[in-house]
Amino acid sequence: MIYLDYNATTPIDSTVRNAMLDCMENHFANPASTTHTLGIKSSFLLDECRETIASLIDASSDNILFTSGASESNNMVLKGVAEYFYSQGPVHFIVSEVEHKCIINQCHYLERRGINVSYAPVNDKGIVTLDAIKKLVNPATKLISVMAANNETGSLMPIKEIADFCLKESILFHSDAAQYIGKLPFSIQDIPVDFLSFSAHKFYGPKGIGGIYFKDKSLLSDSPLIHGGGQEYGLRGGTINLPAVVGMAQAAKITKERVISDLARQNTMKNRFIEQLRADIPDIQFNGCLQQSLPNTINLSLQGIRSRFLMNKLKNKLALSSGSACNSAQQANSHVLTAMGMDDDRIQSSIRLSFGRETTIEQLDTARKYFLDIYQMVNR
Ligand SMILES: Cc1ncc(COP(=O)(O)O)c(C=O)c1O
């Protein structure tokens, strides 16, 4: 079985697993139990991990908050900011039309509670431009949220431009970087975000752990999602999952060491795959922006071949997806590809391949051969 669904989740790195096992065996004490040495040791370990994770994005550890993953991080930021401004007058948010469902569905919820939300359109490459956003800004705009990279197409959004604009206009800027962190280097010194969401299982860490970079935590303090003890600055009650944090820190350490070399290797593999597939199947369509996209993601449509049919044929050979993992059980057209103006046939033929550190050129060659076999069988 060839795994080409890294954007849904990555396999755990073996050093991450070992670090977590060591933590479970040797640092089981609660980091909040600082009345004894074991608890103090756990709390030191927690601090150390926070620093390692912060350093992945050149942040200070005082600006990192742990959550269960990007869905929770995104909920915490949008709901927190909405609550903060709600009593002060009208509140307007702008998000792109192609955000992950954890943003889109949350915005629908916030709209029912009196927040105005505008959904910025994307172009046919799946990219939202600063101009499209500027047209939607009004005096009540408090927050703009645009993902760093799209999970379905891999398209990269102009988040630096948007962040600079927001800074100038005193509008808060949040970016969901769940797909970006781990695949491309990111520094908050270069891109002045107010909030950034990330998730460990997208960069070879464990599931169920992620975080938020925040510039000013007071903006989130009116509405913790989980009321409880004073953990995580009083913003997220509950005993911290230290083994998962340790795993995420180890994953961050490895990512920092190898993100540049992984990126170069994956870009080469991606370009080779695209070139060869174009030669094999001249009417193949690539969805999204091939130039401005994640190095590991390819979204394509084989004309006249439904993705459900193709994935079913290959389900014991290739792990593929036709969009976001959260939607894979649903039959609805992808909201991302729909927003890009693609017609139903092309959407229903779309396949997402996302590869990673363990993918080899031989595996991509085999995947290409499987596609070609099915294409030739259908077009015989
Ligand atoms: C862009 C994006 N945001 C958020 C999420 C949700 O992340 P998590 O599984 O950590 O909640 C995903 C997961 O696929 C994603 O791709």
Side-chain angles (χ1 to χ4, degrees), residues 62-101:
D62 295 338
N63 299 90
I64 298 292
L65 167 74
F66 295 131
T67 64
S68 65
S71 299
E72 183 185 332
S73 300
N74 291 340
N75 270 268
M76 198 157 169
V77 172
L78 270 69
K79 288 187 177 126
V81 172
E83 188 99 17
Y84 181 87
F85 286 108
Y86 197 63
S87 55
Q88 301 175 22
V91 182
H92 174 241
F93 286 179
I94 301 172
V95 305
S96 87
E97 273 188 327
V98 297
E99 296 301 306
H100 190 269
K101 286 285 176 167

Side-chain angles (χ1 to χ4, degrees), residues 14 32 40 55 57 60 62 66 95 117 127 162 177 190 201 206 218 231 281 310 353 368:
S14 61
I40 293 170
S55 85
I57 55 167
S60 154
D62 295 338
F66 295 131
V95 305
V117 182
I127 294 174
I162 302 171
D190 297 335
H201 76 100
S218 71
Q231 295 96 342
I281 306 175
L310 185 135
L353 280 84
R368 191 165 49 80

Side-chain angles (χ1 to χ4, degrees), residues 293-338:
S293 69
L294 290 172
N296 78 320
T297 309
I298 300 168
N299 192 309
L300 54 86
S301 297
L302 291 179
Q303 292 191 47
I305 303 179
R306 289 277 187 261
S307 46
R308 295 220 157 253
F309 168 79
L310 185 135
M311 287 192 301
N312 197 35
K313 278 252 168 244
L314 295 175
K315 70 174 178 227
N316 298 321
K317 295 176 175 169
L318 293 185
L320 294 167
S321 139
S322 64
S324 144
C326 318
N327 289 339
S328 59
Q330 294 169 12
Q331 300 285 334
N333 273 357
S334 149
H335 73 287
V336 173
L337 304 183
T338 304

Side-chain angles (χ1 to χ4, degrees), residues 7-8 68-72 74 100 102 147 149-151 176 178-179 198-202 209 324-326:
N7 284 10
S68 65
S71 299
E72 183 185 332
N74 291 340
H100 190 269
C102 64
M147 66 201 326
N150 185 266
N151 43 309
D176 172 2
Q179 293 294 344
F198 52 90
S199 178
H201 76 100
K202 307 291 188 187
I209 186 80
S324 144
C326 318

